[in-house]
Amino acid sequence: MTSSISAGQIIQLMANNINRLGRVDHVISFIEALGLKQITLVGHSEGSFVAARVAIVRPDLVSKLILLTANSVSPAFGDDRDEAWVQACRQTYDYSGTMPSEEEYIAAWQESCRAYGQDVEDAKREAYRQAAARGQWEIWQCLTEEDTNLHLYLVLQQKYIFPYFDRLRVQTLIIWSKNDPTVTADQGLKLC
């Protein structure tokens, strides 16, 4: 199943794309709209940037922070490991070609993942179908350099996360995966 989405639809979807810092404001507005205070905020992968930044700029809203495979808040090493990370991300998140078929997507996931079961496969298939219906592949292909340049990603971390990370006064739990070159265990350990 590949998506069939028009150029006009892609433009409309891209107009609705919110960059990383915009997501921070979006989450804050959502929490405020619900009238919540002192919540436990969970961020996974790139969502960890958003969760950490919310906790930094609005500590009145967050009492606990959970960061899962949070490379988006991990400091750079300043050596060859950073370039290895960039290359692993480029390979993993390469949307330059055509969208894989559902079977290709599932086969690649099964090859790279040890957690396997029919329930997980069913969820992965449903996620694939929803992404295809939304034109997600085409959206990824049209993202701005701000959203795709991994060196700029590090600049955002250096500007909006690292100078403030040691000031976090919320309880923080860091949970990390292993055997993933885009979120190495060394990066997780550097956060401790």
Side-chain angles (χ1 to χ4, degrees):
M1 171 188 221
T2 58
S3 63
S4 57
I5 187 166
S6 72
Q9 289 170 310
I10 291 172
I11 291 169
Q12 181 59 42
L13 290 168
M14 289 303 299
N16 294 329
N17 182 51
I18 303 172
N19 68 22
R20 290 175 184 99
L21 293 173
R23 290 179 211 141
V24 172
D25 295 335
H26 183 80
V27 169
I28 290 170
S29 295
F30 179 77
I31 294 167
E32 289 176 335
L34 294 176
L36 302 175
K37 299 275 185 194
Q38 296 301 296
I39 65 170
T40 298
L41 193 55
V42 179
H44 173 251
S45 190
E46 187 175 310
S48 294
F49 177 96
V50 174
R53 186 69 185 156
V54 169
I56 289 165
V57 299
R58 291 297 305 273
D60 59 307
L61 298 178
V62 182
S63 66
K64 295 178 185 165
L65 185 61
I66 301 173
L67 304 175
L68 303 159
T69 58
N71 188 51
S72 62
V73 296
S74 299
F77 290 106
D79 59 29
D80 291 344
R81 292 175 289 182
D82 294 332
E83 190 55 35
W85 169 77
V86 167
Q87 292 306 319
C89 289
R90 282 186 181 140
Q91 182 178 359
T92 301
Y93 305 112
D94 178 11
Y95 302 107
S96 61
T98 59
M99 183 175 183
S101 69
E102 182 174 321
E103 293 311 313
E104 290 168 332
Y105 172 77
I106 294 298
W109 162 71
Q110 288 173 340
E111 184 179 311
S112 68
C113 183
R114 287 188 254 162
Y116 180 80
Q118 191 60 49
D119 57 337
V120 178
E121 181 178 328
D122 292 345
K124 294 294 278 186
R125 287 183 182 281
E126 180 59 28
Y128 175 93
R129 291 174 190 145
Q130 288 180 12
R134 277 194 310 267
Q136 190 65 50
W137 192 268
E138 291 86 351
I139 292 169
W140 286 329
Q141 289 178 320
C142 297
L143 290 175
T144 65
E145 183 177 17
E146 177 187 61
D147 288 320
T148 59
N149 183 318
L150 297 168
H151 296 288
L152 291 178
Y153 196 90
L154 292 172
V155 169
L156 281 176
Q157 292 170 316
Q158 292 167 352
K159 185 173 182 178
Y160 295 101
I161 299 295
F162 304 146
Y164 309 99
F165 215 59
D166 62 343
R167 297 184 206 164
L168 277 175
R169 298 293 174 240
V170 301
Q171 292 180 355
T172 304
L173 173 64
I174 299 171
I175 301 172
W176 215 264
S177 61
K178 63 179 187 174
N179 301 325
D180 182 342
T182 67
V183 284
T184 66
D186 284 348
Q187 290 166 313
L189 291 172
K190 192 154 183 178
L191 280 172
C192 297

